[in-house]
Amino acid sequence: MIIFLVALGSLAAWNAVSIQRPSFSPAERGAMEWLKNNSSPEQSVLAPWDNGHALAYYAQRKQVIDGYFEFGHELPARNDAMNTALNTSNCLAFTNALAQFNASFFYLPGSWFTSSTTKNGILQLQSCPTISIPFSSDGAKIYERKLA
């Protein structure tokens, strides 16, 4: 019985230590670190929902889609903005999706690079005078909305 309790306690301790922070690839963390070092704390990021906590942790920047309780009443509009940003190759539509919630950046994780959604959408976005791509790697792309 004592061995069982020691083993159970060890397993609980291992789980507590191993889930202290989100786990992302070094390339994704590099993009998040870039955001932290090259943006101000007042700037926010629009990104797919499942990246919100990691961006808040690593980049230490506000997320457009994170914090359900603060933004629950706006969640459909926020999700629509994110979906528009992913699905469009239209410069004005992409810029407006970010501007709708005053996002300065759009974070696209590498796991989305092969999605048909982004291959026919955001990854086709070219020659857009209101958007730059200040960070691009095999792990993530960061799009920046240029302010007028």
Side-chain angles (χ1 to χ4, degrees):
M1 180 67 167
I2 293 175
I3 293 173
F4 174 73
L5 291 175
V6 169
L8 186 60
S10 297
L11 181 61
W14 174 255
N15 281 338
V17 169
S18 66
I19 60 171
Q20 284 183 346
R21 60 184 172 155
S23 176
F24 289 85
S25 74
E28 288 172 308
R29 284 196 306 269
M32 294 177 198
E33 289 288 329
W34 183 93
L35 271 170
K36 178 181 175 182
N37 296 326
N38 293 281
S39 63
S40 73
E42 294 79 36
Q43 292 179 296
S44 62
V45 182
L46 179 60
W49 175 83
D50 53 344
N51 291 272
H53 289 304
L55 281 161
Y57 180 84
Y58 289 114
Q60 299 177 4
R61 295 297 173 262
K62 296 177 274 188
Q63 305 305 303
V64 172
I65 302 180
D66 194 22
Y68 177 79
F69 295 106
E70 298 97 322
F71 307 125
H73 64 286
E74 294 180 333
L75 196 55
R78 290 171 181 263
N79 278 327
D80 287 347
M82 190 270 303
N83 286 325
T84 295
L86 286 171
N87 286 291
T88 191
S89 60
N90 179 284
C91 179
L92 182 60
F94 183 82
T95 303
N96 287 343
L98 271 64
Q100 182 179 358
F101 294 101
N102 201 30
S104 300
F105 299 95
F106 186 86
Y107 174 84
L108 182 65
S111 59
W112 284 81
F113 290 179
T114 58
S115 163
S116 62
T117 298
T118 57
K119 278 180 159 178
N120 297 315
I122 188 174
L123 293 173
Q124 295 296 316
L125 186 66
Q126 308 219 352
S127 301
C128 183
T130 57
I131 298 293
S132 66
I133 303 174
F135 184 94
S136 182
S137 74
D138 61 345
K141 287 184 185 288
I142 297 173
Y143 296 79
E144 183 174 10
R145 179 173 60 102
K146 297 177 187 176
L147 301 176

